[in-house]
Amino acid sequence: MTEQIEQTGEVVGQRLHPLTPFVKGWGYFVVAAVALVNNEGLRSNLTVAGIGLAGVLVGGILLGALSWWFTKWQLTADAIRVDSGFLFRRTRIIRFDRIQAIDVAQPFVARLFGMAELRMDVAGGGKSDGKLSYFRYEEAQQLRTTLLVRAKGEKAAEQQEHDQQAEALAPPLLTVPTNRLLGATLLSSTVVASAGALIWLIVATMVLDFHIGLFAGLPLLLGVVQPIWKQVVGNHGFTLSETSHGLRTKRGLFDVQRQTVPPGRVQGLLITEPLIWRLLGWSRVELDIAGVAGQKEDGDDALEGAQLLPVGERAEVAYVLARVLPGFDLSRIQMHPAPERAKWLRPIGWRYLTYGVDDQVMVTTRGWVSRRTSIVLHHKTQSVRLEQGPIQRRLGLANVHVDTPLGPTDATALHRDQAEAAALVEAQADRAREARRTVAASVAVQTQPNPPSPDGSSNSAASPADDSSDR
């Protein structure tokens, strides 16, 4: 396959690895087996159960084989084209100049068969739009090199290969211990609430004879197991490294995932501190990245961003913030609290409603059970608006929203004095306008000696932010 790519420059009608249907569809067989174990009627008739499992296995393989047969990819002069679907045809055309980065990933089952998938970070695309699976591992590596050469040129491709080799040899900037991941997950509000309710349900059913039924505890059990699987297994071995293209994260026990954080595409940051975490000095840091944050795919939260640090101590949080935003120090920003009359709307949480600005960012905080600190770069601000409800008008209060592309960051200065809010809207609009002019001028001066690269010349078109409600 690779020889044909290099000699002709174009591949027409190439199919993926023939074992792709099995690697993608093994989960259906596992679900059927679990259903068999939990069904007493099927367990009593093993013949029927075996026929059912065989039918699920054969049907899954046939459906997967049809999908594999009708899925083809090819390289054109300026894009990679993927045709798929046997009932509803779908064509994806990924232009080379929209590809920001390419990784070769090996999910657990694919790794057993020596297979891998390509994960292309496409500007303006979702997480699944840039996936192409599965190839033999060697073929995936060779195709990645070919795509990098097409997308960024020979020199840039060599630089990325050098970065990967340097990343493997150089010590990481930061590593999150597994015991901290487990402890933070067990102390999260979701797990604590689900575990407490599950214990009460068991006691009520077995001791107090309430006859509620343990079957009602399955959702509560999922509320305990799912976060542990997602955080501990998904973020196992989380490391943060540095390359010439920005910070790079690596995580995962079975499905190893890598992601590069280009500094120029960071829209904002979100620091989350649940109540119990704050007592231990722990925080989570997420990023809004153009073309990545805010995508609802593969079961993710619609507003989940790229993880910069799943759980870290305060010193580690300050360190990674300074790596993403050079010169930034959150502790030096003067925060302005909300007026005392805001307690009529937030009896407890009004003390934690603050905002602050410096010459680089605007920062807002909210929440007393789960503290959320949103950081928005001035030059990434799309719009600034003032909102005032009927009760707020009676109290002389207003909200100031700083709109950014869709993602976890929600920079809203809640319940400000209305005169202060009006002045903040004008001041933030001026800061954003001046910051965009300054950044545009510095980029022009920086790129003048050399032609702009695809990374610098084709940013994704950001979607306008949804209206935020007063939470």
Side-chain angles (χ1 to χ4, degrees):
M1 181 191 71
T2 307
E3 289 76 5
Q4 188 176 359
I5 292 175
E6 295 175 349
Q7 293 172 6
T8 66
E10 184 175 11
V11 176
V12 178
Q14 288 289 331
R15 290 192 176 89
L16 301 169
H17 196 287
L19 289 181
T20 296
F22 175 77
V23 176
K24 285 187 174 182
W26 69 275
Y28 297 108
F29 181 78
V30 173
V31 171
V34 172
L36 167 64
V37 172
N38 292 322
N39 191 303
E40 184 176 354
L42 291 177
R43 288 201 306 267
S44 62
N45 193 335
L46 295 181
T47 302
V48 175
I51 294 175
L53 283 178
V56 170
L57 180 60
V58 173
I61 292 177
L62 288 177
L63 289 176
L66 282 174
S67 176
W68 168 80
W69 180 263
F70 286 96
T71 299
K72 298 180 181 180
W73 64 273
Q74 63 178 350
L75 295 179
T76 64
D78 58 356
I80 176 172
R81 170 174 174 159
V82 182
D83 298 297
S84 60
F86 61 93
L87 288 180
F88 301 95
R89 299 294 293 168
R90 182 191 181 199
T91 299
R92 286 179 289 160
I93 298 178
I94 304 173
R95 289 171 44 195
F96 296 139
D97 60 357
R98 305 295 286 177
I99 297 176
Q100 305 291 338
I102 307 174
D103 289 322
V104 175
Q106 284 188 291
F108 178 69
V109 178
R111 196 186 311 170
L112 298 178
F113 294 93
M115 298 163 61
E117 70 177 0
L118 284 181
R119 295 180 179 176
M120 294 170 279
D121 185 2
V122 184
K127 293 181 180 179
S128 65
D129 290 336
K131 285 186 178 180
L132 191 59
S133 51
Y134 288 94
F135 302 92
R136 286 193 302 108
Y137 180 76
E138 295 77 10
E139 291 177 343
Q141 290 282 13
Q142 294 170 355
L143 180 57
R144 175 183 179 272
T145 301
T146 301
L147 291 175
L148 282 175
V149 171
R150 298 273 187 107
K152 300 177 179 295
E154 188 75 34
K155 184 176 180 180
E158 292 177 357
Q159 181 63 47
Q160 287 208 12
E161 296 293 346
H162 178 268
D163 286 344
Q164 281 200 338
Q165 296 175 2
E167 178 188 351
L169 297 176
L173 299 175
L174 184 147
T175 302
V176 179
T178 303
N179 57 353
R180 187 196 298 168
L181 279 173
L182 179 59
T185 304
L186 293 177
L187 294 176
S188 64
S189 57
T190 301
V191 174
V192 170
S194 299
L198 185 61
I199 292 173
W200 178 88
L201 181 63
I202 294 174
V203 172
T205 303
M206 303 184 66
V207 178
L208 302 180
D209 198 24
F210 278 179
H211 301 289
I212 298 176
L214 293 179
F215 181 77
L218 288 179
L220 299 176
L221 183 61
L222 288 177
V224 175
V225 175
Q226 185 180 14
I228 294 177
W229 178 267
K230 183 177 180 181
Q231 295 298 327
V232 180
V233 177
N235 289 319
H236 175 79
F238 186 97
T239 58
L240 186 68
S241 307
E242 189 171 25
T243 70
S244 60
H245 297 280
L247 297 179
R248 186 171 176 85
T249 62
K250 178 184 177 182
R251 60 189 175 93
L253 179 61
F254 300 119
D255 184 1
V256 179
Q257 301 184 36
R258 297 176 176 86
Q259 186 173 26
T260 303
V261 182
R265 294 173 58 206
V266 174
Q267 312 279 357
L269 302 95
L270 175 66
I271 304 174
T272 307
E273 301 171 276
L275 179 61
I276 302 179
W277 287 21
R278 289 205 302 273
L279 300 177
L280 300 173
W282 290 348
S283 307
R284 178 173 65 248
V285 183
E286 296 174 83
L287 296 174
D288 281 357
I289 300 180
V292 176
Q295 302 293 337
K296 186 177 182 180
E297 298 183 49
D298 301 331
D300 289 338
D301 190 329
L303 297 180
E304 184 177 355
Q307 286 196 83
L308 181 62
L309 187 62
V311 55
E313 299 175 346
R314 291 189 176 95
E316 295 173 334
V317 171
Y319 175 73
V320 298
L321 291 179
R323 304 295 295 197
V324 175
L325 304 176
F328 176 72
D329 187 352
L330 183 59
S331 63
R332 294 182 181 179
I333 296 181
Q334 181 181 359
M335 305 300 291
H336 306 280
E340 187 173 353
R341 60 183 182 275
K343 66 183 178 182
W344 294 103
L345 297 171
R346 294 288 183 95
I348 300 177
W350 73 274
R351 299 178 182 275
Y352 306 100
L353 302 178
T354 64
Y355 84 92
V357 296
D358 66 2
D359 57 355
Q360 189 177 14
V361 300
M362 176 175 175
V363 181
T364 65
T365 64
R366 63 197 296 179
W368 64 278
V369 176
S370 181
R371 184 81 50 81
R372 292 169 59 91
T373 301
S374 295
I375 304 172
V376 174
L377 285 73
H378 293 320
H379 69 280
K380 297 296 185 179
T381 300
Q382 291 189 327
S383 64
V384 187
R385 53 193 168 91
L386 183 147
E387 289 186 354
Q388 191 178 42
I391 301 179
Q392 287 180 311
R393 284 198 295 270
R394 295 292 300 272
L395 297 173
L397 301 174
N399 299 333
V400 176
H401 297 263
V402 179
D403 295 326
T404 57
L406 185 63
T409 304
D410 180 19
T412 305
L414 292 173
H415 307 317
R416 317 307 307 182
D417 180 86
Q418 58 186 5
E420 178 190 14
L424 177 58
V425 169
E426 295 294 332
Q428 181 61 23
D430 291 339
R431 280 189 288 264
R433 189 181 306 111
E434 180 62 27
R436 283 192 294 268
R437 183 162 47 244
T438 303
V439 170
S442 63
V443 171
V445 172
Q446 181 181 2
T447 59
Q448 191 174 7
N450 299 308
S453 67
D455 281 337
S457 59
S458 59
N459 293 327
S460 64
S463 304
D466 290 342
D467 291 346
S468 300
S469 60
D470 182 6
R471 294 192 290 268

